[in-house]
Structure formats: structure tokens, C-alpha cells
């Protein structure tokens, strides 16, 4: 029993540390987004273009490594589309930023829905449930604002994204603290049983 308790306690400890680092990273990204929103928008567009170019190279590589005609044509088509998306992002960064704004909106919506669904899983403490509800509702509200007024511009998105990221980071650190408390309780129970 001690081995199982120690293993479980170690697992909670690892998860808590990962959550803390995730929260700290989210707060850092949020701070940069709030302080320098124009740099954040430019970084989003450039990051998307780089991703598209990498995808184009990978698909072209897969096309030329296949020995059948069907996959070759499909991967070449994907490669050309990815290359075009990367070039368009660099030539027209404004429309690209609007499209990325909508993508972030969908991401926030799905994140919020998943966080709200997690409230109903067993083993959640009241404080953790409250943070998940608050974080989920904030994610959904953020998504709604982006869908309703995408014309507000990517600079506003960068600022709102930064504030959201800071809040998300804080809530992740709070959840990690709850996990640490659970780790300590698990270890105490394991020691008492042995």
C-alpha cells in the first residue's frame, strides 16, 4: 500500500509542478501581450506563416517518399495549400490577423466548454470546481466577444488575449495548489495505513 500511495503522491506532485509551470508561462505570455500588443499580433501572423511553411515542406517530403499516386497527389496538394497560406499570411498580415482572431475565438469556446464539462467529473473539490466554472465562463465570454465584434481588430485581441492568459495562468496555479494539497493528504493516508 505504501508503494501505491507513494506512486500516487509522486504523480500528483509531477502534475502540480507541470501545472505551475504552465500557469507561469501563461502569465508571462499574457504580460507580453498586454504590454506589447502590436508585437503579439505580428508574432501570431509570423508564427502561423512559419507553421504553414513547415507543413508545406513536410507534406512535400511525404509526397515524394510515397510509392503510390494517390498519396503523392494528396500530399502535394496539401503542400501547395500550406505554402500558399504561409505566403498570404506574410503578404496580407491584416486579413490573416482577423482569421487568426476567429481561430482563437473557436479555441477559447471549446476550452471553456471542456472546463465546464470538467466540473462534473468526480473527485473535484469545491474550490477547484469554482475556478473551473469561472475559467470556463470567462473563456466562453471571450469567444463570444471575438465572434460578435471581430472588427475590433487584432490589437484589441492581443490585449484581451493577454488578460485572459494572465487569468488562466493564475487559475492554473490555484488548481496546482489544490493538487499539492491532495498530494500531501494522499501521502499522509499512505503513511498511516502502512
Amino acid at each position: 500500500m505504501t508503494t501505491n500511495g507513494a506512486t500516487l503522491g509522486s504523480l500528483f506532485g509531477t502534475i502540480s509542478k507541470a501545472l505551475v509551470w504552465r500557469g507561469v508561462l501563461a502569465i508571462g505570455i499574457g504580460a507580453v501581450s498586454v504590454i506589447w500588443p502590436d508585437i503579439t499580433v505580428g508574432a501570431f501572423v509570423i508564427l502561423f506563416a512559419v507553421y504553414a511553411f513547415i507543413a508545406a515542406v513536410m507534406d512535400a517530403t511525404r509526397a515524394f517518399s510515397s510509392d503510390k499516386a494517390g498519396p503523392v497527389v494528396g500530399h502535394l496538394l496539401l503542400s501547395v495549400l500550406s505554402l500558399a497560406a504561409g505566403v498570404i499570411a506574410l503578404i496580407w498580415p491584416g486579413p490573416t490577423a482577423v482569421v487568426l482572431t476567429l481561430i482563437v475565438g473557436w479555441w477559447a469556446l471549446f476550452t471553456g466548454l471542456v472546463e465546464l464539462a470538467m466540473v462534473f467529473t468526480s473527485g473535484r473539490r469545491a474550490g477547484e470546481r469554482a475556478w473551473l466554472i469561472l475559467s470556463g465562463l470567462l473563456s466562453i465570454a471571450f469567444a463570444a466577444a471575438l465572434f460578435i465584434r471581430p472588427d475590433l481588430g487584432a490589437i484589441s485581441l492581443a490585449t484581451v488575449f493577454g488578460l485572459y492568459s494572465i487569468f488562466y495562468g493564475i487559475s492554473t496555479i490555484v488548481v496546482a495548489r489544490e493538487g499539492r494539497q491532495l498530494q500531501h493528504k494522499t501521502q499522509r493516508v499512505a503513511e498511516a495505513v502502512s
Side-chain angles (χ1 to χ4, degrees):
M1 182 66 181
T2 304
T3 305
N4 290 339
T7 303
L8 190 57
S10 174
L11 177 65
F12 283 136
T14 302
I15 292 170
S16 293
K17 287 177 187 174
L19 285 174
V20 167
W21 282 111
R22 183 177 178 177
V24 168
L25 180 63
I27 291 170
I29 289 170
V32 169
S33 296
V34 169
I35 295 169
W36 297 295
D38 51 342
I39 292 174
T40 303
V41 171
F44 281 154
V45 171
I46 291 170
L47 185 62
F48 173 75
V50 167
Y51 171 78
F53 291 141
I54 290 171
V57 169
M58 292 180 74
D59 282 325
T61 303
R62 289 178 74 188
F64 291 115
S65 66
S66 180
D67 57 351
K68 296 182 182 175
V72 170
V73 173
H75 287 297
L76 280 178
L77 180 61
L78 288 175
S79 179
V80 169
L81 288 173
S82 295
L83 181 64
V87 169
I88 289 169
L90 294 178
I91 293 174
W92 294 296
T96 302
V98 170
V99 170
L100 290 174
T101 299
L102 295 174
I103 290 170
V104 169
W106 283 107
W107 166 75
L109 176 65
F110 289 125
T111 299
L113 293 173
V114 168
E115 287 173 335
L116 288 177
M118 288 172 53
V119 169
F120 300 105
T121 59
S122 63
R124 301 270 181 206
R125 295 174 48 181
E128 190 178 1
R129 287 178 194 260
W131 276 103
L132 283 170
I133 289 170
L134 187 58
S135 181
L137 291 176
L138 184 64
S139 295
I140 292 170
F142 175 57
L146 293 178
F147 293 144
I148 292 170
R149 296 292 309 265
D151 59 322
L152 290 178
I155 298 294
S156 298
L157 169 65
T159 304
V160 172
F161 173 77
L163 294 172
Y164 168 78
S165 186
I166 290 169
F167 176 81
Y168 182 78
I170 291 169
S171 67
T172 301
I173 291 171
V174 168
V175 168
R177 186 179 62 85
E178 295 282 330
R180 277 209 191 267
Q181 289 175 350
L182 187 57
Q183 172 193 10
H184 293 303
K185 288 180 182 178
T186 304
Q187 287 175 341
R188 278 190 248 136
V189 168
E191 290 169 2
V193 171
S194 61

